[in-house]
Amino acid sequence: MATPIILASGSRIRADLMRNAGLDFDVQMPRIDEETIKHALLAEEALPRDIADTLAEMKARKIADKNPDAMVIGCDQVLAFDGRILSKPIDVQDARAQLASMRGERHMLLSAAVIYHEGKPIWRHVGQVRLRMRNVSDEYLDAYIARNWDDIRHSVGAYQLEAEGVRLFHSIEGDYFHVLGMPLLELLAFLTLRGVIQG
């Protein structure tokens, strides 16, 4: 009998990535207090990659507790810039402040995934991408946010590279799937190796 796969995430993009790769899976949204956990980790001076990894593991564990026979995939993404962690914008003003602060500068996206099976983590990966933003005008920033607010309010850094947000960037070093919030190639390689999917 095939091992069921569950994506412990409410992200439409992550679900689309897995669906487009031909995976058969269910989606369950884990209920965890991400901001409280993130603040606690920051107070302990945890590294950005460790914050992403911990949040991904907590999401996977939450769903795995009720589905021990499934391969449960938890994911999280953290944006590290200038010694701080940026989160999803709380409002339009916050989105503008985040984007304005990153203009002409480099930042890093860290995309973590953890798989739980039979009550324990059996695989984890944190991919990182370095991005450099163009020095776009105030007028363009304001217009970009106005046009895209409904989508970018759900994204760390207030942009979506797979949409108009690509115009904000000068260069990107790293895996495109990591930018979208999932180390997809590494995940598929592991699932293939374990015989969960054919390859």
Side-chain angles (χ1 to χ4, degrees), residues 13-81:
I13 291 170
R14 289 186 184 114
D16 285 348
L17 287 175
M18 289 177 57
R19 204 169 288 114
N20 292 342
L23 295 183
D24 182 20
F25 63 98
D26 290 322
V27 174
Q28 293 186 30
M29 281 189 60
R31 303 280 181 210
I32 66 167
D33 188 345
E34 288 189 51
E35 287 307 309
T36 299
I37 296 165
K38 196 181 293 184
H39 287 304
L41 291 167
L42 286 170
E44 295 172 5
E45 299 183 356
L47 296 173
R49 67 174 292 113
D50 295 333
I51 293 173
D53 179 72
T54 299
L55 288 167
E57 179 167 348
M58 294 188 85
K59 291 173 184 177
R61 186 194 315 159
K62 185 85 172 182
I63 300 303
D65 285 346
K66 299 172 192 160
N67 303 273
D69 296 332
M71 290 268 184
V72 180
I73 303 165
C75 301
D76 197 75
Q77 185 177 57
V78 165
L79 189 157
F81 171 64

Side-chain angles (χ1 to χ4, degrees), residues 114-131:
V114 174
I115 296 179
Y116 255 72
H117 187 229
E118 296 178 340
K120 62 183 183 294
I122 60 167
W123 178 85
R124 62 197 335 120
H125 184 83
V126 181
Q128 62 180 43
V129 183
R130 296 179 189 279
L131 304 94

Side-chain angles (χ1 to χ4, degrees), residues 99-166:
L99 290 169
S101 70
M102 292 189 289
R103 277 190 295 197
E105 303 288 341
R106 289 182 187 274
H107 67 270
M108 185 183 298
L109 284 175
L110 299 117
S111 289
V114 174
I115 296 179
Y116 255 72
H117 187 229
E118 296 178 340
K120 62 183 183 294
I122 60 167
W123 178 85
R124 62 197 335 120
H125 184 83
V126 181
Q128 62 180 43
V129 183
R130 296 179 189 279
L131 304 94
R132 185 165 152 228
M133 201 170 273
R134 292 174 49 234
N135 203 1
V136 296
S137 67
D138 288 339
E139 292 76 18
Y140 179 75
L141 261 194
D142 291 337
Y144 168 75
I145 294 167
R147 279 192 299 271
N148 295 282
W149 172 245
D150 282 345
D151 294 318
I152 63 174
R153 66 194 180 95
H154 302 295
S155 303
V156 294
Y159 64 81
Q160 288 185 324
L161 202 71
E162 67 276 18
E164 187 187 344
V166 71

